[in-house]
Amino acid sequence: MNTVVPGMRMAGSGCPAIRWKAVAAVAALLLASLPTLAWYGRRLDDGSDEPLGLIALLAGLGTLGAAVRFGGRDRDQVRIAAGRMLAGAAGLAVVQAAGWPRYPLLTGLLTVAVIGFSLRMPRGKAGVMALLVLSLPLVASLDFYAGYPLRLAAAEITRWLLKLGGLPVERAGVVILEGERMVGIDPPCAGIRMLWTACFVAAVLAARLRLSAVRTLALLTMAVGCVIIGNGLRAAIVFFPESGRVAWPHWLHPGTGLLVHGGVLLAVFHLSGRLARLRRPRGSLLRRGMVVGFGLLAVVAGRTAERPGPIETQGIDEKWPAVWEGVPLVRLPLSKVEERFAAAFPGSIARFRCGDAELILRRTDRATRRMHPAADCLRAEGFTTHSEPAHRDADGRLWGTTRAGRDGRSWTVRERYVSAGGKACTDASAWFWNATLHPEAGPWTAVTMIRPAETP
């Protein structure tokens, strides 16, 4: 039987023992989550992710604290089911012992699930749980997994809007074509930060308005839809100056993004009010939709997630080139950081000196999250990074481009991901989805070229 402990309430006779069970349950959960908490701290400090999660964490804890302290007659109903939390802590400990620390984001989601399973609130819990999910370091993972699909959606909406306006455009992947004009939707234009912000605002409003779980899920889904539509609209507007049809000041490009971002947030505010005023929805239908949706997500995650186990590289050609574009390559040893990364990488890594540049080659025969952009590693090593438009070299090949800087110096980082057949992607998210949907096209080689930036 679960022991239910009122949160933050003075206990009468016999209540101290019940309160100690809650303290023990919280302590057990913290102990079981120590590897995840350590990862959380590293991700907030290593520069590979943005510390936006701290804002969501403070908002979630503040909302929960306000519900306990100022909840009026509902205050005594904010409770911790100590038995449930202890059982969840035991389950997390088993997961950690089974080697799941190699998937810290999943263990972080499991920790939030245990909190939600153990916390009893009359209303508004779903919004608090959504804020706790958003408190995890999600931006880099969202960029990797959702960046390319969001760009595809934006490109299709852009094509549709421009055709509606009478322009004879076509879409090739994430590139909009109009005759000789070609405008690509680059990774920075995926709308990841707009997506995070819209979901954060939706979660805060759901907690503030004390929406049910079904309505909270509906609001979050609508927020995602608003982001997709808004990002497509922004890309359609930006197409005109990027294609050379019109000329406008440079500041109007980010200004358009801010304007659309604000419109998306206003739409989320409006939708939250409409949901709060609705009569009781048909819960059974919505719940069935939730079950089907989460079932599909589970199937997709199960098919695309990396499986733990020994790394096999027999199918990978380990031969590295001796010359790159006519320049002899000099093999360089991996740094200690690179050696640690290579030990868990499902493939092989080599580092070379190529004239005045450094060339890094990574080769794998599977879709893997570890084939992340070089910019993630650079930020983790203290570099500042700034995405730039794709670069077309003398041979007509496209490269993803990032400007990196540290200690007053700057470097140009160019990257592309090439299949065994020679087809290439310019960013990690596009490569991941192509490798997932076409595993027969491997092995793939990520080519990263780092050279000092040209001084103006």
Side-chain angles (χ1 to χ4, degrees), residues 152-176:
L152 274 177
E156 180 59 24
I157 293 172
T158 299
R159 184 194 69 83
W160 183 81
L161 288 173
L162 293 176
K163 274 189 170 293
L164 198 63
L167 295 182
V169 297
E170 298 296 334
R171 179 179 66 84
V174 295
V175 176
I176 304 299

Side-chain angles (χ1 to χ4, degrees), residues 212 214-215 218 275 278-287:
S212 67
V214 171
R215 297 190 187 201
L275 280 173
L278 280 177
R279 292 185 176 182
R280 184 180 180 86
R282 295 182 179 179
S284 59
L285 181 60
L286 289 173
R287 289 189 185 96

Side-chain angles (χ1 to χ4, degrees), residues 52-56 133-136 138-139 142 191-201 227:
L52 294 172
L54 286 177
I55 302 172
V133 170
L134 291 171
S135 73
L136 298 172
L138 293 173
V139 173
L142 283 173
I192 295 298
R193 282 148 194 82
M194 189 194 305
L195 176 66
W196 190 95
T197 305
C199 289
F200 169 76
V201 170
V227 169

